[in-house]
Amino acid sequence: MRALLKSINIPLWSILIPILSVVLLLMQSSLPNNIYTDIILGVFLIGSVLASVNHAETVAHRVGEPYGTIILALAITVIEVSLIVSIMLSESSTEPSFLARDTVFAAIMIILTGIIGICFLSGGYRYKEQNFIKQGISTGLITLLSICTLTLILPNYTTSGPGNSYASNQLFFVAIVSLILYGGFLAVQTIRHRNYFVSEEDLKKQNNKKLQNNRVLHEDSDELEEMDYTPVNLPTTITAFIMLLIALASVVLLSKVLSPTIEFAVASAGAPKSLVGIIIATVILLPEGLAAYKAARQDRLQTSLNLAIGSALASIGLTIPAVAIVSYFTGMTVGLGIDGKSTVLFLTSIATVYLSISSGRTNIQHGIVLLVLFTTYLFTTIAP
């Protein structure tokens, strides 16, 4: 048992912080309701975000690309969907619920303009130009455009449902189509055209891993050190994956606990309520954003884009079916259609990303343009 524990190579802080966060959540009812408690919870929220990034990188290092980015994207999205569904079930069923629409749209805009913009800016500043495989990224973008059009724009133009909502049969049709599109993308990413999503550096590391696994135990290890590849053992990977789920759950639950404080602050500032969804979505997406930023700083833009676009697809591709199920069993009307201003910003953002990746190289200007669109999105949300 002691030998097993010694073989786990994970920083102690990344284990303690998520566990202590869970303890704080269990003790929440006995904690004083004041600003100091909120500050403590906020500190552990940030710590859980950093811990989740650390664990996600450990798992990704073991399984390789693109599976590592898929694991992080799916883990965060599943917990995000659980949070959305739990809040929807607590809402009144007499009025349409716009929570899913606001959360999904905020996540997509943060990813397309904020996360990708920061990655383009930081990578372009450090390396001038960065390379990636555009076939994989363009595949993800056209899938994202199709799902977003069907779920967020088309409801404004159908006539069977009330206002910007789908009728029940339309909602289920769109939910099935969303799953088909997302499932098809995963099949392309992991099986059919996996080489579109793996950079040359990641391919080299995976080949080094296979070479290392085929070597005899008594062979000298100097050559492995020259390959710049340090294999992650199985106990470390399993522990990191478990702690990743705990850390992500802590991020979402702490966000939910702090949301009333955020709502009060937003209301006190006179800002619209939709800003709350943006703040919560930003906190939930911090693990993915930090992981993508770190990869871009290491000149691994392919990993950054895989993570960003995969997260956007997972967010909308899993949320809409879950919302359809909740709507069916509760009779709740779900509003999905975004307004004209949001439609213009979304189409401009996805077109900008697509044009940025069309040459297979990015530079700092692409990041500047996307971040300007991101600030425009935030500003027009605060001052509609």
Side-chain angles (χ1 to χ4, degrees):
M1 184 66 180
R2 184 176 298 178
L4 179 62
L5 292 176
K6 287 184 178 180
S7 66
I8 298 176
N9 185 22
I10 297 177
L12 184 60
W13 68 268
S14 66
I15 296 177
L16 290 178
I17 289 180
I19 293 176
L20 291 176
S21 299
V22 173
V23 173
L24 279 175
L25 287 167
L26 294 175
M27 295 174 55
Q28 180 195 352
S29 58
S30 61
L31 295 175
N33 187 15
N34 53 42
I35 189 173
Y36 301 106
T37 300
D38 292 336
I39 292 175
I40 293 173
L41 293 176
V43 170
F44 275 93
L45 172 61
I46 296 173
S48 296
V49 168
L50 297 176
S52 64
V53 173
N54 182 276
H55 297 310
E57 290 177 344
T58 300
V59 175
H61 194 53
R62 169 76 183 195
V63 301
E65 290 297 332
Y67 302 107
T69 55
I70 292 175
I71 289 174
L72 178 58
L74 287 178
I76 290 179
T77 303
V78 168
I79 298 175
E80 178 186 355
V81 169
S82 301
L83 176 61
I84 292 173
V85 170
S86 65
I87 296 177
M88 283 182 62
L89 292 175
S90 64
E91 292 180 340
S92 172
S93 60
T94 58
E95 297 182 357
S97 173
F98 296 98
L99 177 66
R101 180 200 67 180
D102 293 341
T103 305
V104 167
F105 183 68
I108 289 172
M109 290 301 295
I110 290 169
I111 290 170
L112 282 179
T113 58
I115 293 177
I116 295 181
I118 290 175
C119 291
F120 283 175
L121 180 68
S122 59
Y125 177 79
R126 191 167 188 177
Y127 302 102
K128 292 189 177 179
E129 288 186 343
Q130 289 185 293
N131 301 324
F132 53 91
I133 302 174
K134 62 181 181 180
Q135 290 95 329
I137 307 305
S138 63
T139 300
L141 285 176
I142 63 171
T143 307
L144 180 63
L145 176 61
S146 299
I147 296 181
C148 289
T149 300
L150 293 174
T151 57
L152 300 178
I153 299 177
L154 187 60
N156 294 320
Y157 302 97
T158 56
T159 57
S160 298
N164 54 1
S165 303
Y166 275 132
S168 297
N169 58 342
Q170 293 173 328
L171 182 59
F172 270 97
F173 173 79
V174 170
I176 294 172
V177 168
S178 298
L179 286 176
I180 291 174
L181 289 172
Y182 181 59
F185 174 77
L186 284 183
V188 169
Q189 187 179 24
T190 58
I191 302 173
R192 187 75 176 180
H193 296 288
R194 183 170 172 266
N195 56 310
Y196 288 173
F197 301 87
V198 183
S199 64
E200 293 182 0
E201 180 184 353
D202 290 324
L203 280 176
K204 181 181 178 181
K205 286 184 177 181
Q206 291 175 27
N207 290 334
N208 290 342
K209 177 182 176 181
K210 292 178 181 178
L211 180 62
Q212 186 268 344
N213 290 335
N214 291 331
R215 288 189 174 177
V216 293
L217 296 176
H218 64 271
E219 188 169 356
D220 189 77
S221 62
D222 291 341
E223 188 177 351
L224 283 177
E225 294 177 358
E226 294 176 0
M227 292 178 178
D228 191 27
Y229 178 79
T230 305
V232 178
N233 58 46
L234 186 59
T236 298
T237 304
I238 295 175
T239 305
F241 181 71
I242 294 173
M243 294 308 304
L244 171 63
L245 296 181
I246 295 175
L248 291 175
S250 301
V251 170
V252 175
L253 293 176
L254 286 171
S255 300
K256 185 176 181 180
V257 170
L258 291 172
S259 60
T261 303
I262 297 173
E263 289 178 359
F264 177 77
V266 169
S268 301
K273 190 176 180 181
S274 56
L275 183 61
V276 177
I278 295 177
I279 295 173
I280 295 176
T282 301
V283 173
I284 293 175
L285 289 172
L286 269 177
E288 294 163 304
L290 289 175
Y293 169 76
K294 187 174 181 179
R297 293 280 296 174
Q298 295 172 348
D299 201 19
R300 296 171 57 236
L301 187 61
Q302 182 74 51
T303 299
S304 299
L305 293 175
N306 286 349
L307 183 56
I309 297 175
S311 299
L313 284 169
S315 177
I316 192 167
L318 296 178
T319 300
I320 300 305
V323 166
I325 294 173
V326 172
S327 173
Y328 175 78
F329 284 104
T330 63
M332 179 183 297
T333 302
V334 179
L336 290 178
I338 56 178
D339 58 19
K341 174 200 68 177
S342 299
T343 301
V344 170
L345 283 172
F346 166 71
L347 294 178
T348 304
S349 300
I350 200 165
T352 302
V353 175
Y354 189 83
L355 292 174
S356 297
I357 62 101
S358 60
S359 65
R361 292 172 175 265
T362 62
N363 57 58
I364 193 172
Q365 180 63 17
H366 298 155
I368 293 173
V369 173
L370 286 173
L371 289 176
V372 167
L373 290 174
F374 179 60
T375 55
T376 303
Y377 164 64
L378 294 179
F379 178 77
T380 54
T381 300
I382 298 173

